[in-house]
């Protein structure tokens, strides 16, 4: 019997054009699909590891900076890039199929719908962006605030989350007020009390990380958004570290806006992010990057998604990453990340020379752990990990040691070996 590849060759079709002809929205069959393990398989996670091309002689512990693409994601993206290079002449330039070649003009509704399903919101409330920094900048820049209006935030925000508000402060005279959060953070109750105490009658925006980049602490955002809502304060959360890492349910959190990316914990190609704004609030936000839909409010998410020619291959890779995540099962992913994080923290806690900077309350922690050992800087510890074991956590500077991210492609053996490395370094 003739196989699929030979048949396509005979028909003169690439796999991409075959998929397009047979229904563009159908997830593409990939060679790795056959190897995808059943949930009941006792070797499930080792087999999931085989879905990643990540070199097996190196151990990656830095999804907090950038994630790892599984094979189907990489293949989908490359396949489309190749198609663009070889067959762009097929494009008859009709508005309805423009997105098969470039992004930036179409509404990307199939992808926005998958993102909305993941986050429990409406596709119209989602706009695709390149990253978190863009999404936050679109919102900060597009909001109308008056001189003296206050933006309340914490002292532990990432530059990509906070800087657009400082720009607004310098340009328009709004005031950015920061609350100091202890590191390590003790508890959700502690963070809640500190932030609520800092609200003032002038506070118009509350902007904070859902999970703090420099400690992995999950903040009590639902409770804080409820307090802000009582005072008529616009709430915006920075979800750079949460998407694909912990469950994010936007209806439950009930924030006004949320920005995030897929290139850290979701395993999508770099340059993939989103912004969510509740439909009625999105109407009030001016466009920053203006194309022909800049003032068209029929589909608010599309207004921000239309931002000039972009890389559609990367967005197909994102779609494949969402499919991969769903195929494993979102809860399975979140539970596995947390399980590995817990195992690491429990093992390190046995060593009295390890100092933690992650939150003390375990419920505030998931896949990120921050720690140092006596006599080490972050760089020294990072380098020692590499020299001793080809392991790559990320330095957090002189004081805070390393940020150690665990993900589904990591094994329990790798976690146990990391604990052993730290034990050997701290004798
Ligand atoms: C909390 C937080 N916000 C924003 C960013 C910036 O994200 P991006 O590079 O996707 O704009 C990061 C990146 O590490 C982050 O951790």
């Amino acid at each position: 019997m003739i196989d699929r590849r030979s048949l396509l060759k005979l028909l003169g079709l690439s796999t991409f054009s075959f998929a397009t002809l047979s229904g563009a929205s159908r997830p593409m069959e990939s060679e790795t699909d056959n190897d995808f393990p059943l949930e009941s398989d006792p070797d499930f996670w080792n087999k999931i590891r085989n879905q990643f091309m990540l070199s097996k002689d190196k151990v990656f512990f830095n999804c907090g900076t950038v994630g790892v693409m599984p094979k189907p994601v990489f293949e989908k993206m490359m396949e489309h890039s190749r198609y663009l290079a070889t067959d762009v002449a097929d494009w008859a330039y009709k508005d309805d199929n423009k997105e098969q070649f470039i992004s930036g003009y179409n509404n990307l509704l199939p992808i926005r719908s998958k993102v909305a399903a993941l986050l429990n919101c409406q596709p119209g409330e989602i706009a695709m962006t390149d990253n978190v920094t863009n999404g936050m900048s679109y919102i900060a820049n597009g909001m109308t605030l008056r001189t003296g209006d206050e933006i309340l935030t914490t002292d532990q925000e990432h530059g990509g989350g906070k800087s657009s508000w400082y720009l607004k402060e310098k340009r328009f005279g709004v005031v950015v007020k920061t609350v100091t959060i202890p590191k390590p953070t003790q508890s959700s109750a502690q963070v809640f009390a500190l932030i609520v105490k800092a609200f003032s009658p002038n506070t118009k925006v509350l902007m904070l990380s859902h999970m703090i980049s420099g400690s992995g602490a999950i903040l009590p955002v639902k409770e804080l958004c409820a307090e802000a809502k009582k005072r008529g304060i616009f709430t915006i959360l920075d979800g750079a570290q949460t998407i694909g890492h912990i469950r994010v349910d936007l209806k439950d959190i009930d924030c006004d806006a949320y920005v995030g990316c897929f290139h850290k914990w979701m395993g999508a190609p770099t340059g993939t992010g989103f912004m969510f704004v509740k439909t009625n609030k999105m109407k009030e936000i001016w466009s920053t990057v203006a194309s022909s839909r800049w003032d068209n409010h029929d589909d608010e998410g599309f207004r921000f998604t239309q931002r000039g020619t972009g890389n559609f291959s990367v967005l197909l890779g994102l779609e494949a990453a969402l499919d991969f995540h769903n195929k494993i099962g979102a809860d399975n992913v979140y539970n596995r990340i947390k399980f590995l994080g817990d195992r690491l923290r429990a093992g390190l806690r046995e060593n009295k020379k390890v100092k933690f900077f992650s939150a003390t309350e375990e419920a505030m922690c998931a896949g990120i752990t921050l720690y140092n050992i006596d006599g080490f800087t972050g760089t020294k510890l990072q380098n020692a990990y590499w020299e001793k074991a080809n392991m790559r956590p990320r330095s957090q500077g002189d004081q805070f040691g390393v940020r150690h991210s665990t993900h589904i492609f990591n094994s329990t053996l790798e976690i146990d070996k990391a604990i052993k490395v730290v034990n050997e370094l701290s004798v």
Side-chain angles (χ1 to χ4, degrees):
M1 206 172 102
I2 190 160
D3 66 24
R4 183 169 173 269
R5 224 166 246 290
S6 316
L7 176 67
L8 293 176
K9 221 172 169 186
L10 268 177
L11 294 171
L13 293 171
S14 69
T15 31
F16 182 79
S17 47
F18 179 79
T20 306
L21 289 174
S22 58
S25 61
R26 190 172 65 88
M28 185 118 54
E29 200 182 297
S30 133
E31 276 159 18
T32 53
D33 276 358
N34 296 335
D35 313 327
F36 205 91
L38 295 173
E39 215 178 311
S40 55
D41 190 330
D43 206 25
F44 183 78
W45 291 111
N46 283 333
K47 290 185 179 165
I48 288 293
R49 174 65 179 87
N50 292 334
Q51 297 278 315
F52 290 83
M53 296 149 75
L54 185 66
S55 182
K56 291 215 168 139
D57 59 347
K58 294 169 197 149
V59 182
F60 191 64
F61 285 134
N62 191 18
C63 277
T65 299
V66 71
V68 179
M69 286 181 277
K71 261 186 268 186
V73 172
F74 177 77
E75 282 168 2
K76 187 91 168 220
M77 181 178 71
M78 294 311 287
E79 194 169 22
H80 183 265
S81 287
R82 193 173 304 114
Y83 177 57
L84 189 62
T86 55
D87 290 308
V88 66
D90 290 353
W91 187 9
Y93 195 85
K94 282 186 259 134
D95 276 351
D96 56 358
N97 72 359
K98 203 182 290 179
E99 291 304 321
Q100 296 195 357
F101 293 87
I102 60 171
S103 68
Y105 289 90
N106 208 319
N107 61 20
L108 298 179
L109 212 47
I111 298 177
R112 287 166 59 210
S113 299
K114 284 187 185 178
V115 173
L118 177 80
L119 303 175
N120 194 18
C121 64
Q122 296 305 312
E125 297 172 314
I126 294 288
M128 302 312 294
T129 66
D130 290 340
N131 50 43
V132 176
T133 310
N134 280 10
M136 191 66 91
S137 299
Y138 292 160
I139 294 172
N141 192 60
M143 278 185 84
T144 306
L145 293 174
R146 295 200 185 84
T147 307
D149 284 350
E150 285 175 9
I151 294 103
L152 187 64
T153 188
T154 79
D155 65 334
Q156 290 184 34
E157 302 304 322
H158 187 279
K162 68 183 175 185
S163 301
S164 47
W165 299 101
Y166 284 107
L167 186 157
K168 205 171 178 73
E169 178 176 58
K170 187 159 185 190
R171 192 169 172 201
F172 297 111
V174 297
V175 179
V176 180
K177 257 178 66 177
T178 58
V179 178
T180 302
I181 308 264
K183 193 169 163 176
T185 306
Q186 295 306 313
S187 66
S188 297
Q190 180 191 42
V191 176
F192 178 82
L194 285 168
I195 292 180
V196 170
K197 205 169 125 206
F199 284 137
S200 87
N202 293 331
T203 311
K204 293 291 179 283
V205 177
L206 173 67
M207 188 288 281
L208 63 152
S209 289
H210 187 175
M211 180 188 286
I212 290 182
S213 173
S215 74
I218 303 165
L219 301 190
V221 290
K222 180 178 171 176
E223 295 74 9
L224 285 166
C225 287
E227 285 301 314
K229 197 173 185 178
K230 284 186 208 159
R231 296 162 172 82
I233 296 167
F234 185 92
T235 46
I236 172 159
L237 302 177
D238 176 343
Q241 296 293 346
T242 57
I243 307 300
H245 181 174
I246 59 168
R247 175 160 292 286
V248 177
D249 181 331
L250 294 176
K251 276 221 172 68
D252 182 53
I253 295 172
D254 199 19
C255 52
D256 294 312
Y258 197 104
V259 291
C261 63
F262 304 100
H263 43 228
K264 292 183 189 291
W265 294 86
M266 188 53 82
T270 47
T272 49
F274 73 93
M275 73 183 228
F276 154 88
V277 187
K278 281 183 180 163
T279 309
N280 58 335
K281 305 271 168 131
M282 184 113 72
K283 287 196 190 314
E284 294 161 17
I285 298 177
W286 287 85
S287 302
T288 288
V289 175
S291 188
S292 44
R293 295 185 69 89
W294 71 273
D295 203 20
N296 185 330
H297 298 268
D298 295 346
D299 174 351
E300 291 293 344
F302 186 11
R303 174 161 64 94
F304 289 95
T305 298
Q306 195 190 64
R307 59 213 152 97
T309 303
N311 189 332
F312 189 53
S313 310
V314 158
L315 285 162
L316 283 178
L318 163 61
E319 194 172 15
L322 294 166
D323 291 341
F324 184 79
H325 179 83
N326 291 332
K327 201 164 171 181
I328 296 176
D331 283 336
N332 288 337
V333 172
Y334 307 140
N335 292 340
R336 180 69 178 176
I337 293 173
K338 170 86 171 138
F339 164 78
L340 293 172
D342 287 351
R343 188 180 181 105
L344 176 70
R345 286 183 287 276
L348 292 174
R349 234 173 247 129
E350 310 228 318
N351 181 340
K352 295 301 161 220
K353 292 195 177 144
V354 174
K355 194 160 180 218
F356 285 89
F357 299 99
S358 311
T360 309
E361 187 180 284
E362 186 52 41
M364 295 178 85
C365 302
I368 291 180
T369 311
L370 236 82
Y371 58 91
N372 203 358
I373 41 183
D374 290 343
F376 278 75
T377 62
T379 308
K380 190 172 165 193
L381 186 50
Q382 177 183 303
N383 291 344
Y385 255 123
W386 188 248
E387 280 151 25
K388 274 178 114 38
N390 271 9
M391 292 184 160
R392 187 61 85 190
R394 176 177 151 178
S395 164
Q396 289 292 293
D398 287 352
Q399 189 187 351
F400 297 119
V402 289
R403 181 178 65 185
H404 194 138
S405 305
T406 54
H407 209 298
I408 56 167
F409 49 77
N410 295 130
S411 66
T412 49
L413 285 178
E414 288 171 357
I415 302 298
D416 296 347
K417 188 166 174 195
I419 296 164
K420 193 160 168 267
V421 168
V422 171
N423 289 342
E424 284 168 9
L425 290 170
S426 57
V427 283

